[in-house]
Amino acid sequence: MFFSSMIPNKVEQNNPLQTVILQFMKEFKIAQILKKSNCRKERGISAIDLFQTLFSLVFTGKSFTRFLQNDTSCRKDTYYRFLNSSGVNWRRFLWLLATQVIFKSLAHLTSEDRVDVLIVDDSLYRRSRSKSVEMVARVYDHVSHRFVRGFRMLTLGWSDGNSFIPLAFSLLSSEKSKNRLCSTHSNIDKRSNGYKRRVEAMKKSTEVLVDLLQQVHSYGISAHHILFDSWFAFPSVLTKVARLGYHPIAMLKKTSKVFYHYQGKAMSLDSIYASVKKKRGRAKILASVPVHIRSPKGEVVDATIVFVRDRNRSRQWLALITTDVDLPDEEVVRLYGKRWDIEVFFKMLKSHLKLAKEFQGRSYDSMVAHSTIVFSRYILLALEKRRSADPRTIGGLFYDLCNELDDIKFASALLLLLEILEQCIKNTFSVTEQQRKTFFDNFIADLPCQFKARLGFSVCES
């Protein structure tokens, strides 16, 4: 049509969001990673098209239901079959994607002097309204201090102090059968990846942590320090991590039930602090002492406890422990500060990227699949922020992408209305091509400047 050729269509060619996503998919060969993860189309639409659609959904501002009202390419069941597939190795997909991003795009942006770390933490995956979700359990919420329905999302990530990249996760139910409110589906093939995920979900979090760390070596991640909070800082866990070749740096819990060997005696943390000489004045690092930690099996590992002043409560103290006895006290504190990256990561997933909110699937496989897609969205945002040296937060970048997409949708709707107007004039009135051109020249000239700007015309054009 005359009008379509007259107006430059910037909707499809210059869509900022779609351009970023397509470049991301192409650069890191998402289609190939899906195939390597045993994700192939059974019939109809390809797996990469389904993945890309679900990946982009959060940036459209639409719910899944509203999206389906405008999507005529496939039905709802197609997406749920994709998410519910028990054969896809989503753990392998996330490993491959994360390591490619680290080695291809972030490694050359990081100085060789910078210390890379691994970070482990768990967060509540809440399904408080669900009654029939597979393997949903009663889990303890450390914020509200009560038990709720859901899962514990144990997450392992990599950080260079600037960018955080999630490497793997496990949705943990409960190792105690009395806490599991729903059982597993009985028709799961025991040879499938889905069955292995379910078995893992019923293990203790410390066992899963060791399994994840053993997999790190096979993917070439070279970090030597691993950070975690006081929920994992027990002698049995510290010795297991040290046995794998990593140096843990962890916050210690003030409890009288855990003992450390100091000067030949088994002492609690409070007792050790009371017996050491502290630095005078307003020193941030109060003291550090060499200790031995001993596992229940009798394994002994050398460690250092660093006592730090609590900046929120000046008369209180915090304690960090590390098995890297050659690490200076200041470096122990500095490295542990990188653990905050994973807290920002969890906040971003829940507040912006719709973790556990976008789909209400009942199968365990669908929750793992959707969580992997959400993790992939975060990797995209973290990569874009790092590449552009953007001072904005990840959340600000997310909203900017959504706002850019809203502008495109408005321009698309306006262009469609003008094309319909042109077609109606052509079908209703007997006018020549030159008359139609003159009409639309005058029409465009009278449009408000902001409309002409959206359609690609100069705002000064008249």
Side-chain angles (χ1 to χ4, degrees):
M1 289 186 295
F2 161 73
F3 188 69
S4 300
S5 60
M6 175 183 173
I7 297 180
N9 188 352
K10 300 170 67 175
V11 177
E12 298 299 330
Q13 297 177 358
N14 298 322
N15 186 325
L17 175 64
Q18 291 301 324
T19 300
V20 170
I21 292 177
L22 288 175
Q23 287 177 349
F24 179 77
M25 299 282 176
K26 182 178 179 181
E27 179 180 359
F28 298 105
K29 302 177 181 178
I30 302 298
Q32 292 185 19
I33 295 179
L34 287 170
K35 289 181 180 179
K36 291 180 181 179
S37 306
N38 198 34
C39 184
R40 300 176 176 87
K41 78 170 184 177
E42 297 176 0
R43 59 181 183 274
I45 298 179
S46 65
I48 182 60
D49 289 338
L50 293 173
F51 180 89
Q52 183 175 328
T53 300
L54 296 175
F55 183 92
S56 308
L57 182 59
V58 70
F59 300 105
T60 66
K62 294 181 180 179
S63 66
F64 183 55
T65 303
R66 282 191 58 204
F67 167 77
L68 289 175
Q69 292 175 353
N70 300 326
D71 182 26
T72 58
S73 59
C74 58
R75 298 180 180 179
K76 177 176 68 174
D77 293 345
T78 305
Y79 293 102
Y80 276 101
R81 278 198 305 271
F82 176 78
L83 294 171
N84 290 331
S85 175
S86 61
V88 182
N89 191 341
W90 289 111
R91 170 74 55 78
R92 178 175 172 79
F93 173 87
L94 191 58
W95 276 116
L96 292 174
L97 174 60
T99 51
Q100 279 203 45
V101 170
I102 292 172
F103 294 135
K104 291 179 61 176
S105 299
L106 298 181
H108 68 278
L109 298 177
T110 304
S111 169
E112 294 182 358
D113 299 330
R114 187 186 290 267
V115 179
D116 300 339
V117 296
L118 298 176
I119 308 174
V120 173
D121 200 2
D122 63 349
S123 182
L124 178 64
Y125 185 98
R126 186 187 295 268
R127 292 298 298 264
S128 55
R129 293 186 176 184
S130 303
K131 298 180 179 179
S132 303
V133 172
E134 185 181 9
M135 299 185 70
V136 68
R138 294 175 66 251
V139 294
Y140 186 72
D141 183 3
H142 300 301
V143 177
S144 62
H145 301 289
R146 60 188 181 90
F147 284 90
V148 297
R149 291 176 182 170
F151 301 85
R152 290 176 62 199
M153 176 176 279
L154 180 68
T155 303
L156 171 67
W158 171 92
S159 175
D160 61 355
N162 195 318
S163 299
F164 176 82
I165 301 296
L167 299 174
F169 72 93
S170 181
L171 278 181
L172 301 178
S173 178
S174 176
E175 69 273 16
K176 299 179 180 178
S177 57
K178 64 179 182 180
N179 287 336
R180 293 195 295 269
L181 304 179
C182 293
S183 60
T184 61
H185 293 167
S186 58
N187 59 346
I188 298 296
D189 188 344
K190 293 186 178 181
R191 299 168 297 177
S192 67
N193 292 297
Y195 181 78
K196 296 175 184 178
R197 287 192 287 263
R198 288 164 172 80
V199 173
E200 182 183 73
M202 293 182 283
K203 291 183 178 180
K204 291 184 178 180
S205 59
T206 52
E207 295 179 17
V208 179
L209 168 60
V210 172
D211 292 341
L212 293 178
L213 290 178
Q214 288 174 338
Q215 296 176 36
V216 169
H217 289 291
S218 61
Y219 287 94
I221 303 296
S222 60
H224 299 294
H225 296 85
I226 178 169
L227 316 177
F228 41 81
D229 61 11
S230 58
W231 297 106
F232 297 94
F234 294 97
S236 59
V237 180
L238 295 172
T239 52
K240 286 180 181 178
V241 173
R243 195 191 316 145
L244 293 174
Y246 294 99
H247 289 300
I249 301 177
M251 182 77 69
L252 292 179
K253 186 181 298 185
K254 298 178 184 179
T255 174
S256 59
K257 298 180 180 180
V258 179
F259 297 92
Y260 308 91
H261 293 265
Y262 175 59
Q263 294 182 344
K265 299 179 181 179
M267 303 174 66
S268 67
L269 192 62
D270 286 321
S271 300
I272 295 176
Y273 180 76
S275 64
V276 300
K277 184 179 180 180
K278 291 83 172 175
K279 294 180 180 179
R280 295 182 177 181
R282 300 292 298 173
K284 295 181 180 179
I285 298 178
L286 300 173
S288 65
V289 294
V291 299
H292 303 291
I293 52 178
R294 182 171 296 171
S295 71
K297 295 183 179 180
E299 296 175 285
V300 178
V301 176
D302 294 335
T304 301
I305 296 179
V306 180
F307 294 99
V308 183
R309 189 184 304 277
D310 189 342
R311 64 181 182 181
N312 297 321
R313 295 172 294 178
S314 59
R315 295 186 179 182
Q316 298 296 321
W317 51 271
L318 304 171
L320 301 175
I321 190 170
T322 179
T323 58
D324 190 351
V325 294
D326 297 325
L327 203 63
D329 298 343
E330 293 78 7
E331 186 69 2
V332 173
V333 177
R334 187 187 72 82
L335 288 180
Y336 188 77
K338 296 182 180 183
R339 200 198 70 82
W340 184 250
D341 290 348
I342 200 169
E343 300 291 352
V344 176
F345 167 73
F346 286 136
K347 178 66 175 178
M348 183 66 193
L349 295 193
K350 296 178 181 180
S351 299
H352 301 294
L353 298 182
K354 296 188 176 180
L355 179 70
K357 299 176 182 178
E358 200 166 37
F359 294 90
Q360 296 300 316
R362 296 181 179 180
S363 78
Y364 185 77
D365 292 315
S366 68
M367 290 182 289
V368 171
H370 180 251
S371 298
T372 304
I373 294 173
V374 172
F375 276 48
S376 302
R377 292 168 178 167
Y378 184 90
I379 291 175
L380 166 66
L381 293 175
L383 181 62
E384 287 301 308
K385 180 178 182 294
R386 181 65 175 272
R387 281 178 167 174
S388 61
D390 202 331
R392 294 173 294 179
T393 63
I394 295 290
L397 183 60
F398 167 80
Y399 278 122
D400 287 343
L401 283 175
C402 292
N403 291 337
E404 286 175 345
L405 185 60
D406 288 340
D407 289 343
I408 295 299
K409 289 190 293 187
F410 176 82
S412 178
L414 185 59
L415 180 60
L416 180 61
L417 288 174
L418 294 177
E419 290 179 350
I420 293 174
L421 176 62
E422 179 195 5
Q423 188 63 38
C424 288
I425 292 176
K426 182 178 179 180
N427 296 336
T428 306
F429 303 103
S430 298
V431 294
T432 64
E433 191 74 16
Q434 182 60 38
Q435 289 174 324
R436 267 205 330 275
K437 182 179 182 305
T438 302
F439 172 81
F440 278 105
D441 285 342
N442 296 332
F443 183 83
I444 293 297
D446 292 336
L447 281 177
C449 292
Q450 60 268 30
F451 286 3
K452 288 190 285 186
R454 295 284 181 88
L455 293 171
F457 292 99
S458 170
V459 294
C460 300
E461 197 173 336
S462 60

